[in-house]
Amino acid sequence: MRRAVAVRLSALLAAGALTAATGVALSSTTASAATGGVTGYATQNGGTTGGAGGQTVRATTGTAIHQALCSRASSSTPITIQVEGTINHGNTTKVSGSSCNTAAGVIELKQISNITIVGVGNGAVFDQLGIHIREASNIVIQNVTVKNVKKSGSPTSNGGDAIGMESDVRNVWVDHVTLEASGGESEGYDGLFDMKDNTQYVTLSYSVLRNSGRGGLIGSSESDRSNGYVTFHHNLYENIDSRAPLLRGGIAHMYNNHYKRLNESGINSRAGARAKVDNNYFEDSKDVLGTFYTDEAGYWQVGGNVFDNVTWSSRSGDHNPAGPNPTSNTSVSIPYGFTLDGANCVPNVVAQTAGANKGLKVSDGSCTPQNPDPTDPGPTDPGEPTDPGPTDPPAGTNLSLGAGADGSSKASGTSYGNVADGNTSTYWSPSGSTGSVSVKWGSATTVSKVNIRLASGSGTIGAYRLLNHDTGAVLATGSGAGTVAFSPASLKKITLEITNASGTPRIAEFETYAS
């Protein structure tokens, strides 16, 4: 899965020649944060605005970025940091303060919220120095280049990730950035764009990822399935060996991306993950979609994609490409609005818009680049992914009656079994506003519909996921109570995971049905 540095650099030069051949005259306007243009899953869960409404400061060193974070009134005070120049190990030191938690040798966005970092003027380059987002929320990163971040050799930064997110991260929008390496793991590099340990509601848009062994991952291991709701659109993945991205559990939406020279594998959906793959252009690549390097399957819904000189390996063992004629094996409901460019024009429109220092150009949905409109707020629905399905109470036998039940910690005086007893006056409540409850059987049972009933005095379910507890696969997502249908699943245990709520929900009945 590794390629020589010279191969990647030759591809980089070829990419420059391609862009020049388009004859595109790029805008030379000074970039500014266009938070009104946020798209994809970053619009959900309350939206992503970064430092909008707060102070704007200028920084030309990593130390100055840290100083700006540490000078705020609190760790959640909004701030926009305009960056110009080269940020490197020599000018990035730790700064202390009550509103920050920084470290030397890395841009540390840790235990903070409401931050925008945007490249301005002649541009911002983070040279051999990564951006680490940890226990943070509402973050915007725009118009910057991050290159040659290493996990081994010298100097090292951020575990080798150009941009890395981990530990309860929510709502991140990364837009018009260039992330690049000069080799693979054997040369000291790791991922370009990694998410793990409960990172959700992320959008990567109009960006370039190139010349790396690993594009990025969602989930650090087969058991790290708490990540998801990630959108990738109008990005260029070029000369990447694998992980474009690697998705373990969760949901991801990939549309209008240009994948060029994926050398070993591309979108790797595994461990119950579900990927919606729309109108992308795959070129000069191998095994661009499938489940690879594991026997724990993932799933995909495909439509409108172009496969130009793509080769497919035979299925064998833990190597299961989706081709040579990829077809959908799941369905994925997308809760936000989006407009698809035709796949045939994706290479051209991405070449004109993606990456840092492109004037923040975007597509208007008709294959025509345009300058962004900062006044257009885009989708405003603050809810989490929804798939309301049928609204009428289901008919047939409630399979939960007589079944077992368990779940996460419960409020005092409630019982898991109350959700499967047919009595709406008894209920289970989580110990807080979120938690999970399951219905289980002694043998495999086919379920394709559930009905959630709330007891009197219940709080409101803001968002939930239905999980096949046997495999970790997400069967459906939704909000509120009522009925939801999904593709029939044979399982021994089904779990209702409440991820967002107003007040404390009281689940009177977790009904399950075969049809």
PDB file of all heavy atoms in Angstrom, residues 127-150:
ATOM      1  N   ASP A 127       3.364  23.970   8.035  1.00  0.00           N
ATOM      2  CA  ASP A 127       4.449  23.172   7.471  1.00  0.00           C
ATOM      3  C   ASP A 127       4.973  22.178   8.507  1.00  0.00           C
ATOM      4  O   ASP A 127       5.569  22.574   9.516  1.00  0.00           O
ATOM      5  CB  ASP A 127       5.572  24.111   7.019  1.00  0.00           C
ATOM      6  CG  ASP A 127       6.704  23.381   6.323  1.00  0.00           C
ATOM      7  OD1 ASP A 127       6.505  22.202   5.949  1.00  0.00           O
ATOM      8  OD2 ASP A 127       7.776  23.975   6.148  1.00  0.00           O
ATOM      9  N   GLN A 128       4.723  20.864   8.256  1.00  0.00           N
ATOM     10  CA  GLN A 128       5.144  19.781   9.145  1.00  0.00           C
ATOM     11  C   GLN A 128       4.503  19.884  10.520  1.00  0.00           C
ATOM     12  O   GLN A 128       5.003  19.324  11.504  1.00  0.00           O
ATOM     13  CB  GLN A 128       6.670  19.741   9.275  1.00  0.00           C
ATOM     14  CG  GLN A 128       7.389  19.586   7.943  1.00  0.00           C
ATOM     15  CD  GLN A 128       8.882  19.522   8.124  1.00  0.00           C
ATOM     16  OE1 GLN A 128       9.426  18.491   8.529  1.00  0.00           O
ATOM     17  NE2 GLN A 128       9.560  20.623   7.820  1.00  0.00           N
ATOM     18  N   LEU A 129       3.387  20.565  10.586  1.00  0.00           N
ATOM     19  CA  LEU A 129       2.734  20.832  11.863  1.00  0.00           C
ATOM     20  C   LEU A 129       1.230  20.683  11.677  1.00  0.00           C
ATOM     21  O   LEU A 129       0.632  21.356  10.838  1.00  0.00           O
ATOM     22  CB  LEU A 129       3.104  22.241  12.335  1.00  0.00           C
ATOM     23  CG  LEU A 129       2.593  22.675  13.703  1.00  0.00           C
ATOM     24  CD1 LEU A 129       3.698  23.435  14.437  1.00  0.00           C
ATOM     25  CD2 LEU A 129       1.391  23.589  13.553  1.00  0.00           C
ATOM     26  N   GLY A 130       0.611  19.754  12.431  1.00  0.00           N
ATOM     27  CA  GLY A 130      -0.787  19.428  12.238  1.00  0.00           C
ATOM     28  C   GLY A 130      -1.736  20.237  13.090  1.00  0.00           C
ATOM     29  O   GLY A 130      -1.343  20.964  14.001  1.00  0.00           O
ATOM     30  N   ILE A 131      -3.022  20.074  12.796  1.00  0.00           N
ATOM     31  CA  ILE A 131      -4.093  20.719  13.553  1.00  0.00           C
ATOM     32  C   ILE A 131      -4.852  19.630  14.294  1.00  0.00           C
ATOM     33  O   ILE A 131      -5.412  18.720  13.687  1.00  0.00           O
ATOM     34  CB  ILE A 131      -5.035  21.505  12.626  1.00  0.00           C
ATOM     35  CG1 ILE A 131      -4.259  22.616  11.910  1.00  0.00           C
ATOM     36  CG2 ILE A 131      -6.194  22.101  13.423  1.00  0.00           C
ATOM     37  CD1 ILE A 131      -5.080  23.377  10.876  1.00  0.00           C
ATOM     38  N   HIS A 132      -4.867  19.722  15.605  1.00  0.00           N
ATOM     39  CA  HIS A 132      -5.450  18.695  16.468  1.00  0.00           C
ATOM     40  C   HIS A 132      -6.706  19.248  17.126  1.00  0.00           C
ATOM     41  O   HIS A 132      -6.659  20.229  17.858  1.00  0.00           O
ATOM     42  CB  HIS A 132      -4.425  18.299  17.540  1.00  0.00           C
ATOM     43  CG  HIS A 132      -4.859  17.136  18.377  1.00  0.00           C
ATOM     44  ND1 HIS A 132      -4.293  16.850  19.588  1.00  0.00           N
ATOM     45  CD2 HIS A 132      -5.807  16.179  18.179  1.00  0.00           C
ATOM     46  CE1 HIS A 132      -4.865  15.769  20.104  1.00  0.00           C
ATOM     47  NE2 HIS A 132      -5.788  15.355  19.262  1.00  0.00           N
ATOM     48  N   ILE A 133      -7.857  18.600  16.866  1.00  0.00           N
ATOM     49  CA  ILE A 133      -9.143  19.017  17.443  1.00  0.00           C
ATOM     50  C   ILE A 133      -9.573  17.932  18.414  1.00  0.00           C
ATOM     51  O   ILE A 133      -9.778  16.780  18.024  1.00  0.00           O
ATOM     52  CB  ILE A 133     -10.196  19.217  16.343  1.00  0.00           C
ATOM     53  CG1 ILE A 133      -9.705  20.238  15.312  1.00  0.00           C
ATOM     54  CG2 ILE A 133     -11.525  19.672  16.934  1.00  0.00           C
ATOM     55  CD1 ILE A 133     -10.580  20.338  14.076  1.00  0.00           C
ATOM     56  N   ARG A 134      -9.728  18.269  19.678  1.00  0.00           N
ATOM     57  CA  ARG A 134     -10.015  17.270  20.704  1.00  0.00           C
ATOM     58  C   ARG A 134     -10.983  17.856  21.730  1.00  0.00           C
ATOM     59  O   ARG A 134     -10.789  18.985  22.208  1.00  0.00           O
ATOM     60  CB  ARG A 134      -8.703  16.846  21.390  1.00  0.00           C
ATOM     61  CG  ARG A 134      -8.847  15.719  22.392  1.00  0.00           C
ATOM     62  CD  ARG A 134      -7.516  15.430  23.066  1.00  0.00           C
ATOM     63  NE  ARG A 134      -7.595  14.338  24.012  1.00  0.00           N
ATOM     64  CZ  ARG A 134      -7.164  13.108  23.766  1.00  0.00           C
ATOM     65  NH1 ARG A 134      -6.612  12.832  22.600  1.00  0.00           N
ATOM     66  NH2 ARG A 134      -7.269  12.159  24.679  1.00  0.00           N
ATOM     67  N   GLU A 135     -12.044  17.097  22.040  1.00  0.00           N
ATOM     68  CA  GLU A 135     -13.050  17.551  23.011  1.00  0.00           C
ATOM     69  C   GLU A 135     -13.473  18.983  22.692  1.00  0.00           C
ATOM     70  O   GLU A 135     -13.472  19.867  23.552  1.00  0.00           O
ATOM     71  CB  GLU A 135     -12.491  17.467  24.435  1.00  0.00           C
ATOM     72  CG  GLU A 135     -12.095  16.069  24.860  1.00  0.00           C
ATOM     73  CD  GLU A 135     -11.370  16.064  26.185  1.00  0.00           C
ATOM     74  OE1 GLU A 135     -12.030  16.329  27.208  1.00  0.00           O
ATOM     75  OE2 GLU A 135     -10.137  15.813  26.188  1.00  0.00           O
ATOM     76  N   ALA A 136     -13.861  19.198  21.443  1.00  0.00           N
ATOM     77  CA  ALA A 136     -14.170  20.549  20.963  1.00  0.00           C
ATOM     78  C   ALA A 136     -15.404  20.506  20.073  1.00  0.00           C
ATOM     79  O   ALA A 136     -15.804  19.450  19.569  1.00  0.00           O
ATOM     80  CB  ALA A 136     -12.979  21.118  20.199  1.00  0.00           C
ATOM     81  N   SER A 137     -16.005  21.685  19.860  1.00  0.00           N
ATOM     82  CA  SER A 137     -17.203  21.753  19.025  1.00  0.00           C
ATOM     83  C   SER A 137     -17.284  23.100  18.326  1.00  0.00           C
ATOM     84  O   SER A 137     -16.680  24.085  18.752  1.00  0.00           O
ATOM     85  CB  SER A 137     -18.460  21.536  19.870  1.00  0.00           C
ATOM     86  OG  SER A 137     -18.611  22.557  20.839  1.00  0.00           O
ATOM     87  N   ASN A 138     -18.047  23.107  17.238  1.00  0.00           N
ATOM     88  CA  ASN A 138     -18.292  24.313  16.442  1.00  0.00           C
ATOM     89  C   ASN A 138     -16.978  24.941  15.974  1.00  0.00           C
ATOM     90  O   ASN A 138     -16.632  26.060  16.345  1.00  0.00           O
ATOM     91  CB  ASN A 138     -19.137  25.327  17.224  1.00  0.00           C
ATOM     92  CG  ASN A 138     -19.713  26.393  16.308  1.00  0.00           C
ATOM     93  OD1 ASN A 138     -19.854  26.191  15.103  1.00  0.00           O
ATOM     94  ND2 ASN A 138     -20.039  27.537  16.871  1.00  0.00           N
ATOM     95  N   ILE A 139     -16.296  24.205  15.107  1.00  0.00           N
ATOM     96  CA  ILE A 139     -14.987  24.606  14.603  1.00  0.00           C
ATOM     97  C   ILE A 139     -15.056  24.749  13.079  1.00  0.00           C
ATOM     98  O   ILE A 139     -15.576  23.859  12.395  1.00  0.00           O
ATOM     99  CB  ILE A 139     -13.900  23.573  14.958  1.00  0.00           C
ATOM    100  CG1 ILE A 139     -13.890  23.273  16.467  1.00  0.00           C
ATOM    101  CG2 ILE A 139     -12.536  24.038  14.472  1.00  0.00           C
ATOM    102  CD1 ILE A 139     -13.500  24.427  17.343  1.00  0.00           C
ATOM    103  N   VAL A 140     -14.513  25.838  12.554  1.00  0.00           N
ATOM    104  CA  VAL A 140     -14.393  26.044  11.107  1.00  0.00           C
ATOM    105  C   VAL A 140     -12.916  26.229  10.768  1.00  0.00           C
ATOM    106  O   VAL A 140     -12.221  27.036  11.401  1.00  0.00           O
ATOM    107  CB  VAL A 140     -15.192  27.275  10.635  1.00  0.00           C
ATOM    108  CG1 VAL A 140     -14.922  27.556   9.150  1.00  0.00           C
ATOM    109  CG2 VAL A 140     -16.687  27.071  10.870  1.00  0.00           C
ATOM    110  N   ILE A 141     -12.433  25.475   9.770  1.00  0.00           N
ATOM    111  CA  ILE A 141     -11.071  25.649   9.248  1.00  0.00           C
ATOM    112  C   ILE A 141     -11.194  25.855   7.754  1.00  0.00           C
ATOM    113  O   ILE A 141     -11.756  25.012   7.048  1.00  0.00           O
ATOM    114  CB  ILE A 141     -10.190  24.434   9.565  1.00  0.00           C
ATOM    115  CG1 ILE A 141     -10.085  24.221  11.078  1.00  0.00           C
ATOM    116  CG2 ILE A 141      -8.802  24.603   8.953  1.00  0.00           C
ATOM    117  CD1 ILE A 141      -9.350  22.967  11.469  1.00  0.00           C
ATOM    118  N   GLN A 142     -10.661  26.965   7.258  1.00  0.00           N
ATOM    119  CA  GLN A 142     -10.859  27.352   5.870  1.00  0.00           C
ATOM    120  C   GLN A 142      -9.592  27.928   5.259  1.00  0.00           C
ATOM    121  O   GLN A 142      -8.836  28.647   5.907  1.00  0.00           O
ATOM    122  CB  GLN A 142     -11.969  28.420   5.795  1.00  0.00           C
ATOM    123  CG  GLN A 142     -13.127  28.037   4.934  1.00  0.00           C
ATOM    124  CD  GLN A 142     -14.204  29.114   4.906  1.00  0.00           C
ATOM    125  OE1 GLN A 142     -14.139  30.160   5.550  1.00  0.00           O
ATOM    126  NE2 GLN A 142     -15.224  28.852   4.132  1.00  0.00           N
ATOM    127  N   ASN A 143      -9.369  27.570   3.979  1.00  0.00           N
ATOM    128  CA  ASN A 143      -8.371  28.245   3.146  1.00  0.00           C
ATOM    129  C   ASN A 143      -6.960  28.156   3.710  1.00  0.00           C
ATOM    130  O   ASN A 143      -6.215  29.138   3.717  1.00  0.00           O
ATOM    131  CB  ASN A 143      -8.759  29.718   2.941  1.00  0.00           C
ATOM    132  CG  ASN A 143      -8.053  30.324   1.749  1.00  0.00           C
ATOM    133  OD1 ASN A 143      -7.994  29.728   0.668  1.00  0.00           O
ATOM    134  ND2 ASN A 143      -7.524  31.520   1.929  1.00  0.00           N
ATOM    135  N   VAL A 144      -6.576  26.953   4.168  1.00  0.00           N
ATOM    136  CA  VAL A 144      -5.219  26.753   4.661  1.00  0.00           C
ATOM    137  C   VAL A 144      -4.620  25.518   3.991  1.00  0.00           C
ATOM    138  O   VAL A 144      -5.335  24.644   3.506  1.00  0.00           O
ATOM    139  CB  VAL A 144      -5.168  26.584   6.198  1.00  0.00           C
ATOM    140  CG1 VAL A 144      -5.784  27.789   6.898  1.00  0.00           C
ATOM    141  CG2 VAL A 144      -5.864  25.292   6.638  1.00  0.00           C
ATOM    142  N   THR A 145      -3.297  25.451   3.980  1.00  0.00           N
ATOM    143  CA  THR A 145      -2.561  24.282   3.518  1.00  0.00           C
ATOM    144  C   THR A 145      -1.861  23.645   4.711  1.00  0.00           C
ATOM    145  O   THR A 145      -1.223  24.348   5.508  1.00  0.00           O
ATOM    146  CB  THR A 145      -1.515  24.671   2.454  1.00  0.00           C
ATOM    147  OG1 THR A 145      -2.193  25.145   1.284  1.00  0.00           O
ATOM    148  CG2 THR A 145      -0.645  23.495   2.072  1.00  0.00           C
ATOM    149  N   VAL A 146      -1.998  22.328   4.840  1.00  0.00           N
ATOM    150  CA  VAL A 146      -1.274  21.586   5.874  1.00  0.00           C
ATOM    151  C   VAL A 146      -0.475  20.507   5.151  1.00  0.00           C
ATOM    152  O   VAL A 146      -1.040  19.689   4.423  1.00  0.00           O
ATOM    153  CB  VAL A 146      -2.222  20.941   6.898  1.00  0.00           C
ATOM    154  CG1 VAL A 146      -1.418  20.315   8.030  1.00  0.00           C
ATOM    155  CG2 VAL A 146      -3.220  21.969   7.448  1.00  0.00           C
ATOM    156  N   LYS A 147       0.834  20.504   5.340  1.00  0.00           N
ATOM    157  CA  LYS A 147       1.651  19.580   4.551  1.00  0.00           C
ATOM    158  C   LYS A 147       2.730  18.900   5.383  1.00  0.00           C
ATOM    159  O   LYS A 147       3.253  19.435   6.360  1.00  0.00           O
ATOM    160  CB  LYS A 147       2.295  20.306   3.374  1.00  0.00           C
ATOM    161  CG  LYS A 147       3.313  21.385   3.750  1.00  0.00           C
ATOM    162  CD  LYS A 147       3.900  22.032   2.489  1.00  0.00           C
ATOM    163  CE  LYS A 147       5.015  23.000   2.826  1.00  0.00           C
ATOM    164  NZ  LYS A 147       5.615  23.598   1.604  1.00  0.00           N
ATOM    165  N   ASN A 148       3.013  17.673   4.985  1.00  0.00           N
ATOM    166  CA  ASN A 148       4.171  16.904   5.459  1.00  0.00           C
ATOM    167  C   ASN A 148       4.222  16.750   6.975  1.00  0.00           C
ATOM    168  O   ASN A 148       5.273  16.903   7.602  1.00  0.00           O
ATOM    169  CB  ASN A 148       5.464  17.530   4.944  1.00  0.00           C
ATOM    170  CG  ASN A 148       5.595  17.397   3.443  1.00  0.00           C
ATOM    171  OD1 ASN A 148       5.050  16.465   2.846  1.00  0.00           O
ATOM    172  ND2 ASN A 148       6.293  18.331   2.813  1.00  0.00           N
ATOM    173  N   VAL A 149       3.069  16.429   7.564  1.00  0.00           N
ATOM    174  CA  VAL A 149       3.012  16.162   9.003  1.00  0.00           C
ATOM    175  C   VAL A 149       3.425  14.714   9.246  1.00  0.00           C
ATOM    176  O   VAL A 149       2.911  13.793   8.622  1.00  0.00           O
ATOM    177  CB  VAL A 149       1.593  16.412   9.548  1.00  0.00           C
ATOM    178  CG1 VAL A 149       1.543  16.146  11.049  1.00  0.00           C
ATOM    179  CG2 VAL A 149       1.157  17.846   9.254  1.00  0.00           C
ATOM    180  N   LYS A 150       4.371  14.501  10.153  1.00  0.00           N
ATOM    181  CA  LYS A 150       4.942  13.170  10.373  1.00  0.00           C
ATOM    182  C   LYS A 150       4.623  12.636  11.773  1.00  0.00           C
ATOM    183  O   LYS A 150       4.519  13.383  12.738  1.00  0.00           O
ATOM    184  CB  LYS A 150       6.458  13.213  10.196  1.00  0.00           C
ATOM    185  CG  LYS A 150       6.913  13.343   8.754  1.00  0.00           C
ATOM    186  CD  LYS A 150       8.416  13.145   8.644  1.00  0.00           C
ATOM    187  CE  LYS A 150       8.879  13.109   7.184  1.00  0.00           C
ATOM    188  NZ  LYS A 150      10.329  12.825   7.085  1.00  0.00           N
TER     189      LYS A 150
END
